[in-house]
């Protein structure tokens, strides 16, 4: 058995790069595992008081090339993450990963027959000893899930770690029920004790479709008695929300401070025109703002005229204390090392599955 496994590993080193399709990725993704990978990635870019078991990262700013009168864009995200662990799949094994994600944005894809996602991604992983291309992982689903998983990590450390009873139920609001609104709703309900979900979308039918989907799978959620509501206006329900996810392309703010309850946490995910067009200045002015990386913020939040408190990883690494501020914002930008860590996770799960098949066979 061990000889067969060793022989297989030798063959993989001498063969073409491993290719993992979106269908395979979908089979392997799960919330606890992707939370673990994203938590490690978020820690890796931040300072730590101890070097023991501390991951580290190197990543340049995201690069963008516009094509065809700015209607089509290509993004390049390169990152190296070292000395990190994925305990659920690797035990105490330490991983080092070189990853490069290429993202394409073609707005007309949804008009094709059959339609394609407007945004497509591929992640390339390289051998850290030889530099050889080791794996190609289709990354569209990974990008979707890891964006939500990073919000889950931020919500845990910025919200649940500051309330008196982290096991208490919480009210969740999703503003924007597209791809990211949907996956955030599912991820939040799988990970936290959410009692109620409020949904709003500019086109109400999309919120109604999401509500039906959540009803159909709520038996898999942490709280099986989840209540789900669809609303006609943003301010109908926000005053009772503990956690808010904004996932829209709004060009002007739709959330202001006067409609928010105390002790609320906001995951601002929507891109809009500048990554921060969804929230009014009154919200930013009253909140402590956290990002996934300082470098990303300096590059992509240049027009946010409010002080940033720190990185989420600094809170995880205990360099900064858990916030006690009544309002916190996680300004989500996304990082290459998040994609690299999750792609590494997928490769480990895929190869583990293949080894199991060979052993059984």
């Amino acid at each position: 058995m061990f000889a067969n496994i060793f022989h297989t590993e030798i063959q993989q080193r001498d063969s073409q790069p491993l290719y993992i399709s979106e269908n395979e990725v979908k089979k392997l993704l799960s919330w606890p595992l992707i939370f673990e990978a994203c938590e490690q990635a978020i820690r890796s870019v931040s300072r730590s008081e101890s070097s023991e078991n501390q991951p580290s990262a190197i990543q340049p700013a995201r690069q963008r090339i516009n094509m065809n009168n700015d209607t089509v864009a290509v993004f390049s995200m390169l990152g190296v993450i070292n000395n990190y662990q994925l305990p659920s799949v690797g035990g105490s094994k330490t991983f080092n990963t070189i990853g490069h994600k290429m993202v394409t944005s073609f707005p007309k894809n949804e008009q094709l027959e059959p339609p394609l996602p407007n945004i497509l991604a591929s992640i390339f992983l390289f051998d850290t000893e030889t530099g050889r291309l080791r794996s190609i992982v289709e990354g569209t689903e990974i990008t979707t899930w890891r964006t939500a998983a990073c919000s889950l990590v931020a919500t845990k450390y910025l919200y649940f770690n500051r309330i008196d009873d982290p096991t208490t139920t919480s009210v969740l609001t999703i503003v924007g029920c597209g791809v990211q609104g949907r996956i955030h709703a599912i991820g939040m309900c799988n990970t936290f004790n959410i009692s109620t979900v409020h949904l709003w979308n500019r086109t109400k039918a999309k919120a109604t479709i999401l509500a039906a989907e959540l009803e159909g799978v709520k038996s898999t959620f942490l709280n099986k008695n989840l209540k789900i509501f669809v609303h006609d206006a943003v301010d109908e329900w926000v005053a009772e929300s503990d956690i808010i996810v904004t996932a829209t392309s709004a060009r002007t703010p739709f959330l202001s401070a006067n409609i928010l309850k105390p002790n609320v946490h906001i995951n601002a995910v929507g891109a809009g025109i500048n990554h921060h067009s969804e929230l009014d200045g009154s919200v930013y002015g009253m909140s402590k703002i956290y990002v996934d990386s300082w470098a990303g913020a300096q590059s992509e939040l240049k027009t946010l005229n409010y002080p940033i408190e720190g990185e989420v990883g600094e809170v995880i690494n205990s360099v900064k204390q858990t916030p006690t501020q009544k309002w916190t914002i996680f300004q989500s930008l996304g990082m290459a090392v998040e994609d690299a860590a999750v792609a590494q996770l997928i490769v480990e799960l895929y190869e583990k599955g293949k080894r199991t098949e060979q052993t059984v066979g």
Side-chain angles (χ1 to χ4, degrees):
M1 178 184 73
F2 292 107
N4 288 339
I5 292 174
F6 180 75
H7 180 64
T8 300
E9 290 177 346
I10 293 293
Q11 283 183 322
Q12 287 177 346
R13 287 200 296 269
D14 294 337
S15 64
Q16 295 297 315
L18 173 67
Y19 178 80
I20 305 179
S21 69
E22 289 286 4
N23 286 336
E24 292 293 336
V25 169
K26 290 176 183 179
K27 295 175 187 176
L28 296 169
L29 283 170
S30 71
W31 291 108
L33 293 180
I34 197 170
F35 184 102
E36 191 174 87
C38 288
E39 183 179 45
Q40 289 288 297
I42 289 171
R43 289 185 64 208
S44 72
V45 300
S46 300
R47 295 176 297 131
S48 174
E49 293 179 347
S50 171
S51 59
E52 184 179 357
N53 297 323
Q54 170 60 28
S56 62
I58 305 169
Q59 56 181 0
R62 173 169 26 211
Q63 300 295 309
R64 171 175 177 151
I65 299 173
N66 291 330
M67 303 166 59
N68 299 347
N69 298 320
D70 293 346
T71 61
V72 173
V74 180
F75 300 84
S76 171
M77 299 173 67
L78 173 64
V80 177
I81 176 170
N82 292 318
N83 194 40
Y84 71 103
Q85 294 182 333
L86 300 169
S88 296
V89 294
S92 59
K93 178 182 176 181
T94 297
F95 292 92
N96 301 300
T97 303
I98 303 171
H100 188 187
K101 184 172 82 168
M102 297 295 293
V103 182
T104 58
S105 176
F106 281 65
K108 293 184 179 180
N109 278 2
E110 61 186 2
Q111 301 171 17
L112 299 175
E113 290 295 339
L116 287 173
N118 291 348
I119 298 177
L120 294 167
S122 299
I123 303 170
F124 304 86
L125 298 184
F126 299 86
D127 191 295
T128 55
E129 295 182 1
T130 66
R132 183 177 182 178
L133 179 61
R134 180 170 179 254
S135 309
I136 303 170
V137 185
E138 290 196 346
T140 304
E141 197 73 10
I142 286 177
T143 301
T144 299
W145 278 62
R146 71 86 164 135
T147 302
C150 290
S151 292
L152 299 180
V153 173
T155 302
K156 174 186 174 181
Y157 285 96
L158 301 182
Y159 176 71
F160 283 103
N161 279 10
R162 78 171 187 249
I163 63 178
D164 294 333
D165 182 6
T167 65
T168 190
T169 60
S170 299
V171 176
L172 170 68
T173 285
I174 303 291
V175 185
C177 297
V179 172
Q180 279 303 321
R182 172 188 176 272
I183 202 68
H184 272 76
I186 294 171
M188 289 282 176
C189 293
N190 268 278
T191 307
F192 304 122
N193 191 2
I194 304 297
S195 63
T196 308
V197 175
H198 296 289
L199 304 173
W200 178 87
N201 194 76
R202 182 173 56 85
T203 305
K204 188 177 179 180
K206 189 172 285 189
T208 302
I209 292 171
L210 177 56
E213 181 181 1
L214 296 178
E215 283 285 356
V217 297
K218 71 179 184 181
S219 62
T220 65
F221 294 157
L222 209 58
N223 190 330
K224 318 297 183 193
N225 299 314
L226 179 73
K227 295 181 177 61
I228 305 162
F229 299 96
V230 174
H231 297 272
D232 292 312
V234 173
D235 57 359
E236 283 184 8
W237 73 95
V238 170
E240 62 183 79
S241 300
D242 303 300
I243 304 163
I244 299 173
V245 175
T246 59
T248 75
S249 56
R251 302 176 71 87
T252 56
F254 53 76
L255 281 186
S256 57
N258 65 326
I259 61 173
L260 299 178
K261 67 176 289 187
N263 205 36
V264 70
H265 172 70
I266 301 172
N267 295 294
V269 181
I273 57 173
N274 53 19
H275 283 297
H276 59 85
S277 54
E278 298 173 304
L279 309 181
D280 185 74
S282 62
V283 180
Y284 283 112
M286 292 290 290
S287 304
K288 285 193 175 181
I289 306 167
Y290 293 82
V291 294
D292 37 21
S293 79
W294 281 110
Q298 290 169 353
S299 173
E300 300 186 33
L301 294 177
K302 293 178 181 178
T303 57
L304 179 62
N305 297 318
Y306 297 92
I308 294 173
E309 179 70 17
E311 296 169 326
V312 176
E314 291 178 303
V315 178
I316 300 174
N317 293 341
S318 300
V319 171
K320 295 195 172 181
Q321 294 183 343
T322 299
T324 57
Q325 178 89 4
K326 65 178 182 178
W327 293 343
T328 52
I329 298 171
F330 171 53
Q331 195 70 45
S332 175
L333 296 173
M335 300 189 295
V337 291
E338 294 163 354
D339 298 304
V342 176
Q344 183 73 63
L345 168 69
I346 294 299
V347 168
E348 295 301 315
L349 290 169
Y350 183 87
E351 291 184 337
K352 182 178 180 181
K354 290 299 180 184
R355 287 195 295 268
T356 300
E357 289 177 8
Q358 291 169 359
T359 301
V360 173

